[in-house]
Each structure stands twice: as C-alpha cells, then as structure tokens.
C-alpha cells in the first residue's frame, strides 16, 4: 500500500464505516481492514492519518486501530510469518515517540500504550535509545510532554510489579535505573518546587499533580522487585516529600464531586501504597520513617469523610495499617488496649457500614456490586480493607480484638431487633464483622479454610442467618438475604452438613428473588455447595440422592432465574445449571425435553452478540452434559440432540461467530463420537468446509478442529474413502501446515495418526512417501523433544499398521540405508522420552515388530542395531521416563500468542476418551515381546540366544528372562 492521498482517503472511509452501528456496514469494513493489515505501509498510513486528518473522530479511531494492530501483530512468533515488515518496524520506532508527545491527550494515551506494547518486545535490546529519547524530554519544561513521557514509562515499567525474579529482569531494571532514576528524582524535586511556587494557580496545580501521581506510580514499579541502591541512598528526599504530600491540604485541589476521586486523593492513595511496600519489604531500611507515616496515615483516616471519592484513599490507608500490624517488629505500636479500641471504633467499624452509595450499587449496578463483593475485585473498597485490617490485628491480638468486636456485634444486633425495618444496616454490619473476624484463611475454591476458634459460627448461623432465609417474603430486606446467602457460601466448610441440607431448599427459593444480587448469590452458593468434597470416597458432600427431592424445583427455578430482568446472561446462574446437571446425572433425563429447547434458544440469542465469555462457556458445558448423560443410557438419543442443535450451529458457522467456533467443533465431535460406524449425511456436507485454510489461521480453532477431523476418520473412514477421496489432499494439507509449527506439531501428528490408522491403505499409498519426506525435513530443520516424541509414536503406529518391512522399505526408499540411521540416531537414544501409557504401548508393539518381523534387522547391515534396540525396548518397559529437555529448547504455548485470538477453551464435559489403536490385540506388550522372540528363535535356532547373551547387559537380560517366564516360553 503506497503512502498516497488516495489510500489515505480510502482508509478514512473504511475507518468511518467501522464506527457505524449497523453491522451490515460495520462488519465488511472491519473485514477489509483485517485483510489489508499485512500489507507494507499499512501502519504508517494509520500514523499519517492520525497526524494529518482534520477530523478528530478519525484521528482517535486511527490511534485506537493502530494500537490494536500493534497489540495483535508486533510480537514475532517462531515458525510463523512476521506480520509487520522490518522497514515498517523501523519507521514506527523512529516516529512514534515524537508523534505521541505532540498529540492531544486522548490520542497520546493510545500511542503511549502502543509504545509500551512495542517496548515489552523490543526494549532494551532492539530499542536501546528509547529511554534516552524519553528522558531528554524532561528538560523541555512542557508538562504536556513530560506527562506523556511519564505515562509511557508507567505503561512500560508496571510489569515489574508482576514479573518473576530473573537475572534478565534485574539486568533490564538496572539499565532503567541507571538511565531513569536520577532524572526522575530531579523531576520529582522540581515538580514539588513548582507546586509551592504555583500554590494558588489551580490549572497549573492540576497538571503538576498529574505528574506527581505518575512519578509516585513509577517509584512503586521501580522499587517493587528489590530496594535499588539509588533509592536507598535517596530515601530521605523521597520519603520526606511523600510525607509532606500526605499531610498537604490544598483547598484549590478539593473537588465538589462526591463520586470521583480528585488528584489529591489519587496522589495520597499512591503514597500510602508506596509506604506499605516499604513497610512490608524493606522494613529495616524504612524503620526510621515508619512512625511519622503511621501518625500521618492515622490522622488521614480519622479526618476523611465517608464520600465515595475517598474510597481508594481510605482503603489504601487501611491496607497500609494492615501490612504494618502484621509485622512482628511493629507489634509494639498496637499493643496498648486503648489503641486497639480506638482502631476498632474509629477505623474498622465506620468503614464496614453499608452506605447509601453501596445501597445504590446493590440496586442499580448489581453486576459491579457482585464483581466487587464476590470475586474479590473489591481490593479498593473500604469494607475489604477493614476486613484485612481485622485479620492483620488478629495475628497477634486475636483474643482482645475478638472481645472488643463481640460487644459491637451484640449491640448492633440489639439495635436491629428493636426496629428491623429502620435498623437493618446494623445487622448487615454485624454479619460483616463476624465474617471478617472468623475468616483467617480463604480460597475461591473452598471458601473459608481456617476459622477463628473464638467465634461460634454454627450458633450464629442458626440464630441470625437461618431466620432471615426462612422468612416467607423472599424479597424483604434483600441486603440481609444476600448477606445470609453469602454467609452460607463462605462458611460452607464450617457449618455441619445437616444445617447445609436445611439451607439448600431455602437457597433454591431465593433463585426467584427479584433482586439480581440475591438470586445471583443463591445460584453461586448452590454451585459452590455442590462442589464440596466429603465422605470416605472423596465424593461430593451433597449427593444426587440428597438432591432428588428438590431436583425439579432446582432446575425450574434456575431456568426461571435466567429469564429474570438483568440476568439473561448471568454467568453464576449458568454455572449453577452446569453444576446441577453434573451432580444430578441420570436424574436430569426426565427434564431434558424441556431443558434442551431453552438452552438452544439461549445459545441462538447470545450468538448474535457474544459478550459474556464465562456465561457462554458454561452454556456449552451444560449442553455437553445433557448429551453425555442422556446418550449414556440411550445412545439413539444422539439424533434428537443433532436435530435440536444443528440449526443453531449452522447459523454460528455461516455467520462466522469466531468466539463460538471452538465450542461448536467440540460439541460436534462429542455428537459424532456417539455414532458407532457411520457418519450421517449432515456431517459429510460440512466435511469440505472444515478444511478451509481460513479456519486453521485461528489458533483457538486448531485443537477442536483436529479432534473433529479425528472423529470423522474414526467413525467414517469408509465413507470418506468412497465419497470424499478427493478431499484427502486437503486433509494432508492441514497436517503439513500444523507439522511446520512448533506450537501445533503435536496436533498435526494426532491428525496423521488417525489418517494412518483409519483410512484404507489404498487411499493413503500414493501420499505415504511425501508424508515421510515432510517429517524428515522438519526433523532436519527444527528438531525438538516434543516433535521427536510424537514422531516416534507415529513411526511405531505405521509399523503396527503397515508391518515392520513396510516401514523399513519406506524409509530406505527415501535414501539408501536411512532406516539404520533412524533406528540408531532416533529410536534407540530417544525412545525413553515417550510418555503416556497408550503411546508407550504403541512404541513397544512397533519395536517388537521391528525386532522380530523385519529380516533386514537380522540378516543385513542393520544386525548390529538389533541388540541395542532390544535393550532400548526393555528400558522403555523398566526405566523411569526421561523427561529432560535441552536447555536451549523453548516451546511456545498457545496461550503465549499475542493479541485478540479466540483462545481455545477446552470444554471439561466434552472430554474425549483416550483412544488405544492397539486395543485388545495386545494386553501385555512384555508378553508379546517374549512370544515374538520365541517365534523368531524357532525360525533360526541358536541365533537369538547368542545375540542376546553376547551384548545385552545383565540387568536387561534378567528382565527379559522374567518376561519369558511369565509367557511360559523359551528361546531356542
């Protein structure tokens, strides 16, 4: 694509169309941009447009499109084509920093993100001058430019907070510190100076405080991995200034807005984070500064209001206290009982209250409320921070803290009892206090795993939780209902089973509650309770038998809940449906005729605009469970499922709903595997479409598509041979594409092994030699352990299917004496690496055939390899698996591929039974070896024992004699 005005004009039009709400206009434009993005100059056209266009909407659209393009394509993946040509990469890196710094804020942010994506791949090795170029801009004095640099640096360095320690990482951080730490410190001091100079200029202060927030964030990132020497030497400068900023109260920076945190609050929040980092990780070096920070942060907490805008600041301040009180050598700061009472009274209790803002979120923004409350993403909420502080204090002062709070809990419950309608918030706070006091350790999977011995959880459950859940009106006091349900969910391991069984029908009733939070919590609590393990056999604590009396009501209420306003794509309810199916098993069969239409209708509806990945995943899992459970007792029912599902599947495939493709292929595999020996016509119609290259371009499609093609071969090889033999080259084309990729070569072997095992020999004969050539070329160009393991399984499967002579002649036909090289250089040294019982069995049977059914191994130049091969086979039987991998070898995981790709999501309930191509033909490969050697020795008396006794080592010989004994045969 030329950098011409005509192309810029055309690109402008297509970008404009991508903003059109009408999918008929939008989708073709998106498809067109996708089709041209591999062309040289495409990214440069976007950057030119962003710079020159007069239309602000197009400028922003170009910047977002550019950032997403970089996100998808910048990383170079081994074995895959480089999606951005080298000239474009050089031009982008040469221009992007300047362009970013001279752009308006909205565009600056997009380009800054793009720089950090490029930096993640190229910095420092391939972009050594990036930092110097950025640091030089600190001299400009223009804070629009400086903030652009700081924002980019923050995007670039914040990954240091999450990376594992490594020498490469530390080398990079050291390079950054050498270039960046001093200029950052100088900028920090200069900015503070400017804040004092412009203390009465509100617009200047806003820009300067934006810089200070970014500087404070950079301080956190650069200090996270370890305490750098530079920052240790300059701790006085940083900590003195941080402390004075914490105590600063400039009226000009206070905002009227009650919801949105202002710059002052954001800066103080980050400083609390920085102080907590030092208190936790570098307590010795920080000790001198700690008391003044504790005083400043305590004062901050007791003087800050209850408005939402202070939430982040208050929660970070409380988190600071929580991290300090857990450290043994700060224990003395909290020992005084009056200090503990004061913390409980002035910090913990006020921040556990359910505020008007929480009530509003509960009613009007339930999704966000649930996300924060259930999923632990409420790290920045006051309640979570207060809860963490309670836990921290309990570490050293469990007795006194429990006593102080017990008084509060009792008085709150008494207040509630006086007038529930008015005082229900007191009970809410009491339940929250009990929960935070009792829970010492918690996991998402198991709920509370360690509880405070001083709190009687069952008694509290019976006296204060059950009565709320038993109340006839499920819509009364919804917040308390949600609290009660959450209590059951949290303490499911502590509450006895008989009490849980009392709670289950109450939870089922609450699936009908009008409040989204209440019916969501009810579904989630049921789902969690159904996964609990218990009993001697480690089965589920709640059995299908326990649930039988409630099965109909449970399923009916779950499906009604999913039609309640606001819950049409509620992932918790769908997960509860999946878990109920899994628990009830055969008990769901009577309900399947009413359930399947509801699931398919839902699938059709969400496929129009897939937006909730978890919901969609559980929906497909539920469909798989319905199929599995029903067809286990009635295999013929598979046709009813196909009739119900194929219309929706066809629509999904025709409309190219990328998110659903991998799921559809898995469900189709599951259905097809249910058939015995035939492939219905409906599947054969689809077969050619599955070989289209475009489907194989998407990483997420590869595993399920391979499995589906394997199902076609296993169930309908004869049909393919008879009516679709012209598609076999296409099938082999897929194999060739997969085998070329280090990430997907194992999938290529899965497909190839199914072709070899199932297709009639006459269909494959003309292609066999070419298959071997492709494999040997890959072995020569890029040998990896994973490839070798798969290659060994293939060689031995080929040997089992086409005979030992067939394998030897095929390999020698490519190059004389090549078979000997394969045995000597690959099979003998590498066979120990093969893993998996089926794979080992295939290799054992294949090698046994080579030893006993291939004359060339006995009578030609390959004879010298016979005993070493036998020794290797006995090693495969008896030695531990060799799982070493060469140091220089790195496998790319599918998850590592960048950008937005529909990742492959494995459906647990569409799982495939492991297929054994040898099957019952051989039950014990060791006995097969003994019997085969006996037969061979009978055909050439004297030779086998002499070959064995002359060069097989003593240990292997002992094992072999054991096999012969078990098989009741001897060698002659």
């Amino acid at each position: 694509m030329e950098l011409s005005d005509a192309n810029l004009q055309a690109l402008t039009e297509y970008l404009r169309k991508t903003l059109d709400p009408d999918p008929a206009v939008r989708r073709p434009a998106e498809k067109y941009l996708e089709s041209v993005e591999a062309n040289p100059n495409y990214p440069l056209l976007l950057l030119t447009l962003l710079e020159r266009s007069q239309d602000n909407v197009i400028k922003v659209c170009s910047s977002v499109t550019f950032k997403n393009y970089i996100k998808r394509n910048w990383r170079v993946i081994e074995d895959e084509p480089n999606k951005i040509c080298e000239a474009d990469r050089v031009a982008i890196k040469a221009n992007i920093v300047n362009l970013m710094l001279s752009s308006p804020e909205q565009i600056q942010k997009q380009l800054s993100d793009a720089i950090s994506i490029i930096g993640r791949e190229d910095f420092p090795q391939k972009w050594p001058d990036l930092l110097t170029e950025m640091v030089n801009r600190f001299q400009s004095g223009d804070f629009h430019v400086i903030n652009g640099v700081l924002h980019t640096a923050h995007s670039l360095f914040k990954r240091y907070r999450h990376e594992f320690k490594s020498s490469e990482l530390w080398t990079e951080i050291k390079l950054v510190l050498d270039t960046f730490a001093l200029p950052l410190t100088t900028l920090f001091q200069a900015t503070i100076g400017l804040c004092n100079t412009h203390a009465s200029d509100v617009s200047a202060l806003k820009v300067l405080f934006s810089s200070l927030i970014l500087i404070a964030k950079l301080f956190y990132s650069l200090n996270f991995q370890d305490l750098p020497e530079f920052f240790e030497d300059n701790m006085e400068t940083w900590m003195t200034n941080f402390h004075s900023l914490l105590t600063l109260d400039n009226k000009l920076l206070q905002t009227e807005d009650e919801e949105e945190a202002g710059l002052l609050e954001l800066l103080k929040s980050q400083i609390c984070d920085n102080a907590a980092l030092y208190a936790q990780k570098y307590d010795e070096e920080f000790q001198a500064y700690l008391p003044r920070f504790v005083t400043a942060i305590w004062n901050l907490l007791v003087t800050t209001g209850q408005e939402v805008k202070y939430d982040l600041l208050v929660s970070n301040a409380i988190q600071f206290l929580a991290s300090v009180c857990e450290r043994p050598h700060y224990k003395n700061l909290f020992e005084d009982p009056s200090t503990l009472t004061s913390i409980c009274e002035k910090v913990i209790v006020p921040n556990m209250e359910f505020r008007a803002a929480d009530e509003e979120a509960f009613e009007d923004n339930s999704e966000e409320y649930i996300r924060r409350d259930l999923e632990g993403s409420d790290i920045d909420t006051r309640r979570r921070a207060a809860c963490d502080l309670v836990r921290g204090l309990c570490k050293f002062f469990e007795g006194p803290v429990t006593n102080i709070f017990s008084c509060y809990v009792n008085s709150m419950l008494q207040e509630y009892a006086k007038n529930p309608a008015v005082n229900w918030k007191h009970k809410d706070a009491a339940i929250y206090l009990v929960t935070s006091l009792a829970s010492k350790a918690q996991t998402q999977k198991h709920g509370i795993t360690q509880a405070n011995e001083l709190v009687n959880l069952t008694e509290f459950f019976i006296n204060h939780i059950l009565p709320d859940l038993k109340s006839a009106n499920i819509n009364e006091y919804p917040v308390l209902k949600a609290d009660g349900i959450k209590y059951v969910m949290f303490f499911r391991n502590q509450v006895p089973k008989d009490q849980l069984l009392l709670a289950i029908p109450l939870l089922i009733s609450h699936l009908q509650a009008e409040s989204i939070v209440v019916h969501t919590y009810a579904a989630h609590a049921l789902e969690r309770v159904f996964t609990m393990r218990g009993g001697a056999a480690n089965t589920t604590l709640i059995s299908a038998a326990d649930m039988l009396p409630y099965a109909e009501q449970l399923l009916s209420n779950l499906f009604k809940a999913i039609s309640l306003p606001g819950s049409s794509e509620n992932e918790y309810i769908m997960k509860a449906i999946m878990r109920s199916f899994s628990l009830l098993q055969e008990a769901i069969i009577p309900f399947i005729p009413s359930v399947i239409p509801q699931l398919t209708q839902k699938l059709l509806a969400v496929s129009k605009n897939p937006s909730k990945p978890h919901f969609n995943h559980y929906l497909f899992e539920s469909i798989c469970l319905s199929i599995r459970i029903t067809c286990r007792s009635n295999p013929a029912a598979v046709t009813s499922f196909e009739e119900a599902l194929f219309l929706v599947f066809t629509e999904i495939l025709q409309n190219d709903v990328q998110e659903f493709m991998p799921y559809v292929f898995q469900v189709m595999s599951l259905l097809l595997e249910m058939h015995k020996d035939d492939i219905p016509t409906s599947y054969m119609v689809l077969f050619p479409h599955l070989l289209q290259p475009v489907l194989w371009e998407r990483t997420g499609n590869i595993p399920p598509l391979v499995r589906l093609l394997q199902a076609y071969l296993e169930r309908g090889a004869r049909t393919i041979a008879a009516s679709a033999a012209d598609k076999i080259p296409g099938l082999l084309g897929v194999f060739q594409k997969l085998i070329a990729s280090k990430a997907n070569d194992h999938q290529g072997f899965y497909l190839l092994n199914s072709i070899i095992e199932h297709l009639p020999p006459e269909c494959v004969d003309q292609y066999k030699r070419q298959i071997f050539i492709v494999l040997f070329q890959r072995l020569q160009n890029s040998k990896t352990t994973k490839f070798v393991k798969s290659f060994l399984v293939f060689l031995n499967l080929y040997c089992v299917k086409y005979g030992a002579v067939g394998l030897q002649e095929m390999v020698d036909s490519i190059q004389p004496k090549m078979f000997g090289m394969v045995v000597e250089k690959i099979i003998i040294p590498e066979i120990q690496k093969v893993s998996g019982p089926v794979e080992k069995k295939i290799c054992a049977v294949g090698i046994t055939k080579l030893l006993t059914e291939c004359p060339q191994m006995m009578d030609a130049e390959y004879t010298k390899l016979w005993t070493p091969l036998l020794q290797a086979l006995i090693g495969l039987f008896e030695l531990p698996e060799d799982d070493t991998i060469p140091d220089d070898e790195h496998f790319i995981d599918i998850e590592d591929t960048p950008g937005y790709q529909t990742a492959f999501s494995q459906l647990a309930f569409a799982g495939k039974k492991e297929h054994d191509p040898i099957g019952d033909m051989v039950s014990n490969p060791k006995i097969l070896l003994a019997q085969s050697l006996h037969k061979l020795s009978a055909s050439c008396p004297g030779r086998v024992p002499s070959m064995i006794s002359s060069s097989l080592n003593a240990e292997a010989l002992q094992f072999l004699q054991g096999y012969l004994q078990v098989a009741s045969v001897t060698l002659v």
Side-chain angles (χ1 to χ4, degrees):
M1 292 175 86
E2 295 299 310
L3 280 169
S4 64
D5 289 343
N7 279 339
L8 287 171
Q9 187 55 43
L11 191 54
T12 305
E13 288 313 308
Y14 280 111
L15 287 172
R16 205 183 302 285
K17 285 177 183 171
T18 62
L19 304 171
D20 198 297
D22 179 1
V25 178
R26 187 178 69 251
R27 284 215 179 114
E30 289 168 346
K31 282 263 188 290
Y32 171 76
L33 290 177
E34 211 177 297
S35 71
V36 297
E37 69 174 25
N39 294 352
N41 288 330
Y42 172 74
L44 304 182
L45 278 165
L46 284 171
L47 290 178
T48 310
L49 200 55
L50 180 159
E51 195 177 7
R52 291 191 201 162
S53 176
Q54 301 302 306
D55 183 338
N56 201 41
V57 172
I58 293 298
K59 280 169 111 70
V60 173
C61 187
S62 298
S63 67
V64 173
T65 307
F66 176 79
K67 180 193 75 178
N68 290 336
Y69 163 83
I70 294 294
K71 196 174 178 183
R72 273 198 308 275
N73 300 312
W74 193 272
R75 180 183 290 185
V76 180
I77 299 170
E78 202 177 351
D79 298 327
E80 290 193 16
N82 184 344
K83 293 174 184 165
I84 305 177
C85 71
E86 202 49 45
D88 283 357
R89 287 174 183 272
V90 172
I92 288 168
K93 286 191 284 196
N95 295 302
I96 191 166
V97 174
N98 268 336
L99 193 53
M100 181 269 293
L101 295 174
S102 60
S103 297
E105 197 171 334
Q106 205 178 359
I107 292 166
Q108 192 177 69
K109 187 178 180 323
Q110 299 298 332
L111 292 179
S112 169
D113 288 348
I115 292 172
S116 66
I117 294 163
I118 297 170
R120 213 171 297 145
E121 299 301 321
D122 288 16
F123 175 79
Q125 282 83 5
K126 296 184 194 164
W127 204 357
D129 52 352
L130 170 64
L131 266 195
T132 326
E133 193 179 348
M134 282 165 53
V135 165
N136 289 343
R137 302 310 177 97
F138 284 165
Q139 317 303 327
S140 68
D142 177 348
F143 271 85
H144 174 73
V145 170
I146 290 169
N147 282 354
V149 172
L150 291 172
H151 181 85
T152 306
H154 172 53
S155 300
L156 207 51
F157 304 151
K158 69 180 174 193
R159 70 186 178 85
Y160 300 156
R161 304 174 182 193
H162 318 293
E163 298 265 329
F164 287 115
K165 278 188 164 62
S166 69
S167 54
E168 293 85 8
L169 179 70
W170 194 236
T171 307
E172 183 183 320
I173 293 176
K174 190 176 179 320
L175 178 97
V176 168
L177 289 165
D178 291 346
T179 316
F180 205 77
L182 178 60
L184 186 71
T185 308
T186 311
L187 179 68
F188 180 48
Q189 291 170 293
T191 310
I192 297 230
L194 287 168
C195 287
N196 297 331
T197 312
H198 297 283
S200 53
D201 179 349
V202 69
S203 56
L205 283 176
K206 281 182 178 174
V207 176
L208 294 167
F209 268 75
S210 300
S211 304
L212 286 172
I213 292 167
L214 287 165
I215 290 169
K217 286 182 175 183
L218 284 162
F219 176 90
Y220 189 87
S221 300
L222 294 174
N223 282 273
F224 190 87
Q225 288 282 339
D226 210 339
L227 178 58
E229 195 180 331
F230 177 89
F231 284 105
E232 191 177 347
D233 295 344
N234 289 275
M235 200 181 292
E236 179 66 30
T237 301
W238 283 92
M239 290 305 157
T240 309
N241 283 314
F242 278 159
H243 181 264
S244 63
L245 287 168
L246 260 186
T247 51
L248 175 81
D249 188 19
N250 189 321
K251 296 282 182 281
L252 292 176
L253 286 169
Q254 289 181 355
T255 56
E256 295 298 310
D257 192 330
E258 289 196 0
E259 301 277 322
E260 199 71 37
L263 293 168
L264 201 54
E265 289 80 54
L266 291 171
L267 177 59
K268 289 182 179 184
S269 303
Q270 186 57 51
I271 291 171
C272 288
D273 258 358
N274 295 354
L277 176 75
Y278 265 55
Q280 272 177 316
K281 295 183 102 171
Y282 318 123
D283 42 12
E284 217 170 286
E285 295 84 352
F286 188 57
Q287 209 151 10
Y289 301 94
L290 185 87
R292 67 178 104 153
F293 273 90
V294 170
T295 309
I297 287 172
W298 171 259
N299 289 334
L300 198 65
L301 281 169
V302 293
T303 56
T304 302
Q306 284 281 344
E307 291 86 351
V308 175
K309 68 175 173 182
Y310 299 124
D311 283 5
L312 180 64
L313 171 57
V314 169
S315 68
N316 280 3
I318 297 175
Q319 289 289 1
F320 167 76
L321 287 183
S323 63
V324 171
C325 74
E326 280 184 333
R327 315 292 291 179
H329 43 274
Y330 301 144
K331 196 172 148 187
N332 59 317
L333 293 171
F334 301 91
E335 267 170 342
D336 187 341
S338 63
T339 306
L340 284 175
T341 308
S342 187
I343 290 175
C344 295
E345 198 175 297
K346 293 182 176 162
V347 176
I348 292 169
V349 173
N351 285 300
M352 281 198 176
E353 283 171 9
F354 197 76
R355 297 167 304 163
D358 299 318
E359 199 172 347
E360 202 177 298
F362 185 94
E363 289 168 5
D364 302 331
N365 192 1
S366 49
E367 203 168 317
E368 177 63 14
Y369 181 90
I370 292 163
R371 195 174 63 79
R372 289 178 150 201
D373 194 39
L374 267 194
E375 296 173 19
S377 68
D378 63 343
I379 293 304
D380 58 345
T381 66
R382 295 172 181 242
R383 280 190 145 189
R384 172 58 60 93
C387 195
D388 288 347
L389 181 51
V390 172
R391 260 183 227 160
L393 289 169
C394 282
K395 189 169 177 183
F396 296 117
F397 314 107
E398 188 168 54
V401 169
T402 305
N403 288 336
I404 293 166
F405 277 144
S406 298
C407 303
Y408 278 110
V409 169
N410 289 331
S411 73
M412 285 168 171
L413 291 171
Q414 283 161 10
E415 284 301 308
Y416 166 74
K418 286 178 195 167
N419 189 346
V422 174
N423 296 338
W424 61 266
K425 286 185 184 177
H426 288 281
K427 182 165 184 179
D428 167 77
I431 295 172
Y432 211 90
L433 259 178
V434 169
T435 305
S436 57
L437 257 185
S439 50
K440 280 186 174 178
Q442 172 183 5
T443 67
Q444 191 75 28
K445 190 174 179 185
H446 300 293
I448 302 299
T449 52
Q450 203 185 343
N452 180 339
E453 306 291 320
L454 306 172
V455 182
N456 188 329
L457 291 165
T458 306
E459 190 182 289
F460 191 84
F461 173 73
I462 293 166
N463 295 336
H464 301 291
I465 301 295
L466 265 183
D468 282 347
L469 296 181
K470 281 181 172 171
S471 135
N473 182 353
I474 56 171
N475 294 314
E476 188 181 33
Y477 306 134
V479 175
L480 294 183
K481 301 276 198 214
D483 289 341
I485 293 168
K486 203 167 107 177
Y487 188 96
V488 176
M489 186 165 40
F490 265 32
F491 297 112
R492 58 187 182 273
N493 290 304
Q494 286 71 31
V495 172
K497 180 177 174 179
D498 59 330
Q499 296 295 334
L500 280 179
L501 287 171
L502 282 178
I504 283 173
L506 304 175
L507 294 174
I508 293 172
S509 304
H510 283 84
L511 289 168
Q512 294 286 275
E514 287 165 11
S515 159
I516 295 174
V517 176
V518 174
H519 64 241
T520 300
Y521 280 21
H524 190 46
L526 285 164
E527 190 273 328
R528 292 288 80 198
V529 167
F530 290 167
T531 58
M532 289 172 70
R533 298 257 170 217
N538 198 27
T539 50
T540 54
L541 179 73
I542 308 293
S543 67
D546 292 329
M547 287 308 298
L548 270 180
Y550 314 117
E552 186 170 0
Q553 196 60 51
L554 170 67
L555 294 175
S556 165
N557 284 9
L558 281 167
F559 278 97
K560 280 182 194 161
I562 219 156
S563 58
L564 288 169
S567 277
S568 63
E569 291 183 41
N570 186 319
E571 66 187 67
Y572 294 98
I573 300 174
M574 190 45 83
K575 192 176 187 184
I577 289 173
M578 172 193 83
R579 200 71 69 197
S580 303
F581 283 8
S582 177
L583 179 72
L584 290 165
Q585 291 292 323
E586 279 70 24
I588 68 164
I589 292 175
F591 308 107
I592 288 292
S594 64
V595 158
I596 281 296
Q598 294 182 73
L599 290 174
T600 47
Q601 279 306 107
K602 186 57 78 178
L603 178 57
L604 190 59
V606 296
S607 69
K608 303 277 188 270
N609 183 21
S611 56
K612 296 279 178 70
H614 289 104
F615 176 87
N616 300 335
H617 187 91
Y618 300 134
L619 171 58
F620 277 103
E621 291 280 23
S622 302
I623 290 170
C624 290
L625 271 164
S626 313
I627 296 167
R628 261 188 191 286
I629 293 166
T630 310
C631 295
R632 196 185 303 138
S633 55
N634 176 15
V638 68
T639 52
S640 311
F641 283 104
E642 287 165 350
E643 283 165 18
L645 292 166
F646 269 32
L647 277 173
V648 191
F649 285 179
T650 307
E651 192 154 325
I652 289 169
L653 296 173
Q654 281 175 346
N655 293 332
D656 192 23
V657 183
Q658 292 185 23
E659 297 90 332
F660 283 5
M661 297 283 216
Y663 291 126
V664 168
F665 296 142
Q666 285 176 85
V667 180
M668 286 183 70
S669 303
L670 180 65
L671 290 165
L672 184 48
E673 286 157 9
M674 297 278 176
H675 288 273
K676 285 291 167 263
D677 294 311
D678 62 322
I679 290 196
T681 322
S682 51
Y683 287 90
M684 284 313 295
V685 170
L686 186 65
F687 183 63
H689 301 287
L690 300 178
L691 305 175
Q692 288 175 351
V694 65
L695 284 179
W696 296 88
E697 294 300 324
R698 297 178 197 145
T699 317
N701 284 348
I702 290 172
L705 263 179
V706 167
R707 177 182 168 188
L708 182 53
L709 290 180
Q710 284 183 286
Y712 270 90
L713 290 160
E714 283 166 21
R715 294 290 179 267
R718 286 198 309 274
T719 314
I720 291 171
S723 62
D726 57 328
K727 298 295 175 283
I728 293 171
L731 209 51
L732 291 167
V734 169
F735 147 74
Q736 194 166 353
K737 177 183 166 58
L738 295 175
I739 220 76
S741 151
K742 281 187 188 173
N744 297 313
D745 50 13
H746 60 294
Q747 296 286 348
F749 276 112
Y750 293 159
L751 184 57
L752 177 60
N753 292 347
S754 291
I755 291 171
I756 293 298
E757 185 188 347
H758 299 292
L759 278 180
E762 62 275 12
C763 291
V764 187
D765 282 347
Q766 58 180 309
Y767 308 111
K768 287 193 301 201
R769 191 166 183 275
Q770 191 52 41
I771 289 170
F772 274 88
I773 290 170
V774 165
L775 292 173
F776 282 126
Q777 282 172 341
R778 165 65 211 268
L779 192 64
Q780 197 175 357
N781 298 333
S782 176
K783 179 183 171 185
T784 65
T785 305
K786 178 158 73 92
F787 182 86
V788 169
K789 283 162 74 169
S790 300
F791 183 52
L792 285 167
V793 174
F794 161 73
L795 284 176
N796 286 294
L797 180 68
Y798 186 94
C799 180
V800 172
K801 178 77 191 265
Y802 289 102
V805 175
L807 176 64
Q808 174 259 315
E809 286 178 348
M810 171 56 70
V811 176
D812 277 345
S813 75
I814 293 168
Q815 189 183 313
K817 301 203 172 83
M818 191 169 179
F819 178 70
M821 286 155 57
V822 169
V823 173
E824 186 180 1
K825 298 284 194 299
I826 298 172
I827 299 180
I828 292 170
E830 305 280 11
I831 197 69
Q832 209 57 46
K833 289 197 162 83
V834 173
S835 54
V838 173
E839 288 80 355
K840 284 186 167 183
K841 185 176 175 184
I842 292 168
C843 290
V845 175
I847 293 173
T848 299
K849 282 180 169 292
L850 286 179
L851 287 165
T852 60
E853 295 174 16
C854 179
Q856 293 282 343
M857 286 295 290
M858 291 291 285
D859 303 324
E861 62 270 23
Y862 300 148
T863 311
K864 64 180 188 300
L865 299 170
W866 192 90
T867 316
L869 184 59
L870 176 61
Q871 175 107 18
L873 175 55
I874 296 168
L876 178 67
F877 287 143
E878 306 299 344
L879 295 175
E881 180 193 324
D882 172 10
D883 55 5
T884 55
I885 287 178
D887 293 340
D888 60 345
E889 214 172 278
H890 169 67
F891 297 135
I892 305 157
D893 280 331
I894 285 176
E895 286 72 22
D896 284 349
T897 48
Y900 174 73
Q901 277 274 8
T902 311
F904 168 54
S905 297
Q906 174 79 53
L907 288 169
F909 295 111
K912 184 184 182 187
K913 282 210 295 279
E914 189 165 29
H915 170 67
D916 178 0
I918 310 285
D920 298 333
M921 285 192 301
V922 178
S923 54
N924 184 339
K926 294 177 184 178
I927 290 176
L928 175 76
L929 173 64
Q931 290 168 339
S932 304
L933 286 173
H934 167 70
K935 196 173 161 188
L936 176 69
S937 73
S939 68
C940 50
R943 279 199 64 192
V944 174
S946 79
M947 286 164 76
I948 288 173
S949 59
S950 63
S951 47
L952 196 66
N953 78 22
E955 204 180 348
L957 188 57
Q958 207 174 343
F959 281 124
L960 181 59
Q961 282 162 348
Y963 308 157
L964 293 164
Q965 211 171 341
V966 174
S968 309
V969 293
T970 53
L971 301 180
V972 292

